[in-house]
Amino acid sequence: MPAAATEARRAAVLGSPIAHSLSPVLHRAAYARLGLDGWTYERFDVDEAGLPAFFADLGPQWAGLSLTMPLKRAVIPLLDEISETAAAVEAVNTVVFTEDGRRVGDNTDVPGMVAALRERGIEQVDTAAVLGAGATASSALAALARICTGEVVAYVRSEARAAEMRQWGERLEVEVHTADWTDAAEALRFPLVVATTPAGTTDALAGAVPERPATLFDVLYDPWPTTLAARWSMYGGAVVGGLDLLVHQAVLQVEQMTGHAPAPLEAMRQAGEQALAARH
């Protein structure tokens, strides 16, 4: 049942560092639109060592938590249950506290990616490329498992990373092939390219964008646009950005934590865009 609008409930995002997080902006915008006047959403700088103590101090007024790095895996032993999606990628970014006191973990990054692509008309692709092999890349593979009917080629910097991506592919039942990062320009000709690398990593690839690019999903949102995304748009390709992902995963978090659905997607997106504009 949805929580009463006047009931005082707490939620927050945890991570380290956390000052940059847009989650408070997005969730508070949702609470305002939903009329949840008694709800608060904060941010706390918590590392892996401090996470158990933080959980030990949580009272019954807590509705849920958002988790970012480095806590997405560290939180799992502290939970009573995790969803199939979270178990598949060994990462929890959402914790909901149930009325009977249980701690339930989920991963909204994966369905958030799928929803962000669907919003741009990408329901299914025959093949895709992934740039990078970090934690976000495993979530990307899980999302591609739902929409990609053929192979996924991951462009990585080392054989160790390549082996990890192939292992994730086996686990997620995705046909993953790997290629060296020196050939990453080849990725830009795929019908869907998912860039999961840190800021600046793909800048050198911008000059290799084909004349008629298809769809780029770049998970970064600040700074935005990335050099690659800007060139992609200039050539007429479709671009899905990190803010799209952030908003869609936050929508699912709000719905789980508050019991109110649908969450106000456009109000949350507008709040995020305004907050990013204010930073610059």
Side-chain angles (χ1 to χ4, degrees):
M1 292 292 291
T6 57
E7 183 181 359
R9 301 300 305 276
R10 297 183 69 184
V13 60
L14 313 182
S16 185
I18 200 62
H20 67 286
S21 175
L22 280 180
S23 291
V25 171
L26 303 181
H27 285 253
R28 291 169 187 169
Y31 298 165
R33 181 59 62 92
L34 293 170
L36 298 175
D37 301 330
W39 285 64
T40 60
Y41 190 100
E42 304 157 88
R43 62 165 66 91
F44 293 96
D45 196 303
V46 179
D47 59 14
E48 294 175 80
L51 190 59
F54 187 93
F55 263 72
D57 289 338
L58 297 177
Q61 75 275 26
W62 282 88
L65 296 170
S66 307
L67 300 166
T68 186
M69 300 305 292
L71 305 178
K72 292 183 178 183
R73 182 171 294 181
V75 73
I76 294 176
L78 304 176
L79 305 178
D80 298 303
E81 176 187 345
I82 64 173
S83 68
E84 289 185 11
T85 301
V89 294
E90 296 182 358
V92 166
N93 77 327
T94 307
V95 176
V96 174
F97 302 102
T98 64
E99 291 183 0
D100 59 1
R102 300 176 71 249
R103 303 166 172 177
V104 180
D106 192 15
N107 184 303
T108 64
D109 286 330
V110 174
M113 285 185 175
V114 174
L117 286 165
R118 183 177 295 124
E119 185 179 34
R120 302 301 173 88
I122 310 299
E123 300 275 354
Q124 183 176 298
V125 292
D126 296 331
T127 185
V130 174
L131 299 174
T136 306
S138 61
S139 293
L141 285 181
L144 291 170
R146 304 184 182 191
I147 66 168
C148 184
T149 59
E151 71 170 7
V152 175
V153 180
Y155 291 82
V156 300
R157 292 189 181 279
S158 69
E159 178 51 37
R161 288 292 198 179
E164 287 178 10
M165 289 297 281
R166 291 193 293 267
Q167 289 172 359
W168 277 115
E170 292 178 8
R171 179 171 184 160
L172 297 166
E173 299 183 352
V174 179
E175 183 184 353
V176 174
H177 296 269
T178 54
D180 192 86
W181 184 263
T182 56
D183 297 321
E186 297 175 357
L188 308 187
R189 300 189 178 277
F190 279 70
L192 173 60
V193 183
V194 185
T196 69
T197 52
T201 306
T202 62
D203 289 359
L205 297 177
V209 174
E211 289 186 7
R212 296 180 180 177
T215 301
L216 171 68
F217 192 160
D218 194 325
V219 303
L220 295 173
Y221 65 85
D222 190 15
W224 186 261
T226 63
T227 302
L228 179 61
R231 180 66 64 91
W232 201 275
S233 295
M234 185 187 308
Y235 278 43
V239 175
V240 184
L243 183 61
D244 297 308
L245 168 59
L246 195 65
V247 170
H248 277 283
Q249 65 83 26
V251 160
L252 297 169
Q253 290 185 334
V254 168
E255 291 175 353
Q256 290 189 31
M257 293 180 192
T258 69
H260 288 263
L265 172 68
E266 290 307 322
M268 295 168 69
R269 191 200 311 275
Q270 184 177 12
E273 289 173 344
Q274 291 174 346
L276 284 176
R279 288 184 182 181
H280 302 288

